[in-house]
Amino acid sequence: MTGAGSSEGRLSHAAGRPRDPAVDRAILSATLELLGEHGYERMTIEAVARRAGVGKPTVYRRWSSKRDLVIDVLNHISDLPEMPAEGTARERLTDFMEEWWRLIVKAGHPSYRLQSLIGEMGRNPELGKSFRKALVDNRRKKIMTVLREGMESGELRPDLDIILATDMIFGTVIAQRLVSEARAGTDGWRRIVEYLFDGWT
Amino acid sequence: MTGAGSSEGRLSHAAGRPRDPAVDRAILSATLELLGEHGYERMTIEAVARRAGVGKPTVYRRWSSKRDLVIDVLNHISDLPEMPAEGTARERLTDFMEEWWRLIVKAGHPSYRLQSLIGEMGRNPELGKSFRKALVDNRRKKIMTVLREGMESGELRPDLDIILATDMIFGTVIAQRLVSEARAGTDGWRRIVEYLFDGWT
DNA sequence: TATTTACGTTACGACATCGTAACATATTCT
DNA sequence: AGAATATGTTACGATGTCGTAACGTAAATA
């Protein structure tokens, strides 16, 4: 199936009206927003076209199906923030969480409304893997890596259950977003790391 | 709108075939299972009827719409586990988490597959409140209460951000279920409390 | 200017689901 | 036995969405 940019194979610019890349971007952007707002089932191609300011055939000219369009969108999703390379595990995680908060809560980027699709991973046979890749895998891997390095450096207890510890960070973000609706304090999720490293007592 | 049991208003048993309460239960049970498996949109009344072993008109005889049926199901959902009344905050939370784990992971009760619907709360205008009530409110309130009591008793730091702390517990459970698919260790989520009270260092 | 391709509008076929009608049968009470 | 209600089967109308066809217009190149 072809996606956006399928004209790249032409060696020279043949006659005919060239596709407008801005249209591609508008469609992808509209899809991202509506996916977050409605979820996969409720989102319609008609709504995507309207939001993008194009006609439905224009969408189907680029993507052969609704499913392909959503897969393409999920594949474009940013895996920011990056994990800082320098500093202690605590410092790196603190900076990471603050930057993550900045992206999600402060900037309100549409891709970050996708946390609400977290349940689709295990329930949507068509797109489960794409959802997981877009929403979970990359950031979770970064967190696990820094925790492992913290254990190796003696900064964290050597018997830390890494899977559970990673879920504690990741899950807190999900709960803040979906349950408390990210009316998080102004500390940019730094306190998550503080509570986890120092404990509540 | 009438739900199951609407015949209760009859003072005496008039002529006619009485409704079978087992049919009510079969429908509610089938709805719970399919809701967890597929989510609200993909779940169909036809599939519910088939799973319950009844005809579609039998479902619509009791609930006037798909939405009413799902609301009824969500209202029936158990808010177990109970929070133990005795002991320190740590002991009570530890027992609570272990019992929660027992219900969700060990017993595999269908209602506990509903965590995957956590995203519906903010996205589904018809049922958002019902989802929130069924999936979040009661247990979250129990956790917040015991944390507050721990602060008052001096067991927890007096400046603990209760909302965030509650989300740390609640979110970890969500992540364990949806991300790590509850291949939690055999310690029944006791370690969550240990990590949160003692910290990772 | 002619040709080629993109585009939006409109309409449509195919399909799925919601919810209900019609009806024969089953189950209860009077 | 008759009346009343529940039930399942079958079919259906209404509606919505997916995806596409037809067509006139726009935008590019030859």
Side-chain angles (χ1 to χ4, degrees):
Chain A
M1 66 258 340
T2 63
S6 58
S7 61
E8 285 158 352
R10 289 209 300 260
L11 290 176
S12 60
H13 212 2
R17 180 172 166 173
R19 291 201 181 166
D20 184 353
V23 168
D24 298 11
R25 290 192 297 273
I27 293 170
L28 288 167
S29 177
T31 304
L32 185 58
E33 291 170 21
L34 290 167
L35 193 58
E37 286 171 32
H38 300 293
Y40 181 71
E41 271 77 38
R42 281 171 171 258
M43 182 192 89
T44 71
I45 296 298
E46 167 134 357
V48 168
R50 196 181 302 121
R51 178 74 61 96
V54 302
K56 275 207 294 179
T58 303
V59 178
Y60 283 102
R61 196 167 287 124
R62 287 161 169 78
W63 293 275
S64 56
S65 67
K66 179 180 176 183
R67 173 177 176 272
D68 287 346
L69 170 60
V70 167
I71 288 180
D72 204 19
V73 160
L74 293 175
N75 287 345
H76 275 78
I77 282 179
S78 158
D79 62 353
L80 296 178
E82 294 294 344
M83 179 65 71
E86 309 267 308
T88 65
R90 180 171 184 149
E91 288 165 344
R92 293 163 70 196
L93 258 182
T94 301
D95 289 346
F96 179 85
M97 296 307 296
E98 193 160 26
E99 188 56 26
W100 200 359
W101 178 84
R102 208 191 309 280
L103 288 168
I104 291 188
V105 180
K106 211 147 180 311
H109 193 283
S111 71
Y112 301 108
R113 295 188 64 178
L114 299 186
Q115 279 89 20
S116 67
L117 300 173
I118 198 88
E120 296 292 325
M121 303 187 310
R123 197 169 64 224
N124 191 320
E126 288 179 58
L127 297 162
K129 284 181 178 172
S130 296
F131 278 122
R132 186 176 185 99
K133 191 171 183 299
L135 304 179
V136 172
D137 283 344
N138 288 328
R139 291 185 192 89
R140 190 158 178 266
K141 186 175 298 178
K142 291 171 183 174
I143 295 171
M144 288 180 66
T145 298
V146 74
L147 291 185
R148 191 170 289 118
E149 288 167 4
M151 288 167 68
E152 287 164 2
S153 73
E155 192 180 347
L156 295 171
R157 54 200 282 180
D159 64 336
L160 189 71
D161 180 336
I162 279 220
I163 301 295
L164 180 59
T166 305
D167 283 345
M168 293 178 84
I169 295 177
F170 202 89
T172 301
V173 168
I174 294 176
Q176 287 270 288
R177 292 292 288 160
L178 303 185
V179 178
S180 303
E181 288 161 9
R183 268 186 255 102
T186 48
D187 77 333
W189 284 343
R190 300 174 70 95
R191 206 168 346 190
I192 295 179
V193 179
E194 178 194 330
Y195 283 176
L196 290 171
F197 273 62
D198 296 340
W200 291 347
T201 55
Chain B
M1 65 242 4
T2 62
S6 58
S7 61
E8 285 159 351
R10 288 210 303 258
L11 291 176
S12 61
H13 213 0
R17 180 171 165 173
R19 291 202 180 164
D20 186 352
V23 168
D24 298 10
R25 291 192 295 272
I27 294 170
L28 288 166
S29 177
T31 304
L32 186 58
E33 290 171 21
L34 291 166
L35 194 58
E37 285 171 33
H38 300 292
Y40 181 70
E41 271 75 41
R42 283 170 171 260
M43 183 193 88
T44 71
I45 296 298
E46 166 134 0
V48 168
R50 194 181 302 121
R51 177 75 63 95
V54 302
K56 274 209 293 178
T58 303
V59 179
Y60 283 100
R61 197 168 285 122
R62 286 161 170 77
W63 294 275
S64 56
S65 67
K66 175 181 175 182
R67 172 179 178 270
D68 286 346
L69 171 59
V70 167
I71 288 179
D72 204 20
V73 160
L74 294 176
N75 287 346
H76 275 76
I77 283 180
S78 156
D79 61 352
L80 296 179
E82 295 295 343
M83 178 66 69
E86 309 267 309
T88 64
R90 180 171 185 148
E91 288 164 345
R92 292 163 70 197
L93 258 182
T94 300
D95 288 347
F96 179 85
M97 296 307 295
E98 194 162 24
E99 189 56 24
W100 200 0
W101 179 84
R102 208 189 311 276
L103 288 168
I104 290 188
V105 182
K106 211 146 180 311
H109 193 282
S111 72
Y112 300 110
R113 296 187 63 176
L114 299 185
Q115 281 88 21
S116 68
L117 299 173
I118 197 87
E120 297 291 325
M121 302 188 308
R123 197 170 61 224
N124 191 319
E126 289 178 56
L127 297 163
K129 283 180 178 171
S130 295
F131 277 123
R132 183 173 188 102
K133 191 171 180 300
L135 303 180
V136 171
D137 282 346
N138 288 327
R139 292 186 190 90
R140 190 158 178 265
K141 187 176 297 177
K142 291 172 185 175
I143 295 171
M144 288 181 65
T145 298
V146 74
L147 291 185
R148 192 171 287 117
E149 288 168 3
M151 288 168 67
E152 287 164 1
S153 73
E155 193 180 349
L156 294 169
R157 53 200 283 181
D159 64 337
L160 190 71
D161 181 336
I162 278 219
I163 301 293
L164 180 60
T166 305
D167 283 345
M168 294 179 83
I169 295 177
F170 203 89
T172 302
V173 169
I174 293 177
Q176 286 269 290
R177 291 292 288 161
L178 303 185
V179 179
S180 303
E181 289 161 8
R183 270 186 254 104
T186 47
D187 76 332
W189 284 342
R190 302 173 70 94
R191 208 167 346 188
I192 295 178
V193 180
E194 178 193 330
Y195 282 177
L196 290 171
F197 273 61
D198 296 341
W200 290 348
T201 55

